[in-house]
Amino acid sequence: MTTSSRFAEALDELGLGELHARIRRFPDETRTAAEAAAAIGCELSQICKSLIFSADGVPVLVLMDGASRVDVDLVRRELCAAKVTRAKVDVVRQTTGYAIGGVPPFGHRTRTRVLADRSLLAHDIVWAAAGTPYAVFPMEPKALIAHAGATLVDVRESAAS
């Protein structure tokens, strides 16, 4: 499996062409954060999950570390939304142009609001999907957040939840 052409084009458009050489491809899927961390040999929290939610029917992207879960109530409050739910599979594909498990943090079909959880900043490098469930790329978290056009927030589910 190779990187999706949409993601390859997005890297070039963002001036990130040097990342092409850093993309790691695997024979087995890295669809989940745990699969990606095992394939890469990194900590689970070094995986950047790109998750699409629906806030009052409008898609929003949340970037979260792989060891944590998103607290939808915190997302709802952050967005001043009445209701926030996980987006359905078809909404994810329609919004991003990618299948679940391969959604990168940027280079989507449509522009959406992006929230990035502060937990991503705990590492020097994080790994994110590169457009397919078989490919990932490394990036410094602040650069990833900036290229995604994300707002830095605290939307991680607390350990007590």
Side-chain angles (χ1 to χ4, degrees), residues 111-142:
R111 187 127 175 93
T112 58
R113 183 146 181 210
V114 183
L115 304 177
D117 189 78
R118 198 172 307 279
S119 62
L120 292 169
L121 299 176
H123 300 283
D124 293 334
I125 295 290
V126 292
W127 294 82
T132 80
Y134 296 89
V136 295
F137 70 97
M139 188 174 249
E140 191 272 329
K142 286 182 183 175

Side-chain angles (χ1 to χ4, degrees), residues 43-47 49 51 53 62-78 115-123 126 151-161:
E43 293 178 33
L44 186 57
S45 60
Q46 285 180 272
I47 302 299
K49 299 186 288 191
L51 306 168
F53 288 84
V62 177
L63 303 176
M64 176 61 68
D65 80 82
S68 300
R69 293 175 51 98
V70 174
D71 185 323
V72 292
D73 281 335
L74 292 176
V75 173
R76 185 182 55 73
R77 281 186 236 144
E78 185 67 39
L115 304 177
D117 189 78
R118 198 172 307 279
S119 62
L120 292 169
L121 299 176
H123 300 283
V126 292
T151 301
L152 200 56
V153 295
D154 292 304
V155 293
R156 181 170 52 167
E157 200 173 75
S158 71
S161 293

Side-chain angles (χ1 to χ4, degrees), residues 38-99:
I40 296 162
C42 70
E43 293 178 33
L44 186 57
S45 60
Q46 285 180 272
I47 302 299
C48 175
K49 299 186 288 191
S50 298
L51 306 168
I52 299 290
F53 288 84
S54 178
D56 294 337
V58 178
V60 61
L61 173 65
V62 177
L63 303 176
M64 176 61 68
D65 80 82
S68 300
R69 293 175 51 98
V70 174
D71 185 323
V72 292
D73 281 335
L74 292 176
V75 173
R76 185 182 55 73
R77 281 186 236 144
E78 185 67 39
L79 299 173
C80 299
K83 183 178 180 182
V84 173
T85 59
R86 284 293 286 264
K88 293 186 179 348
V89 173
D90 59 327
V91 172
V92 173
R93 172 73 83 167
Q94 180 181 5
T95 301
T96 68
Y98 303 99

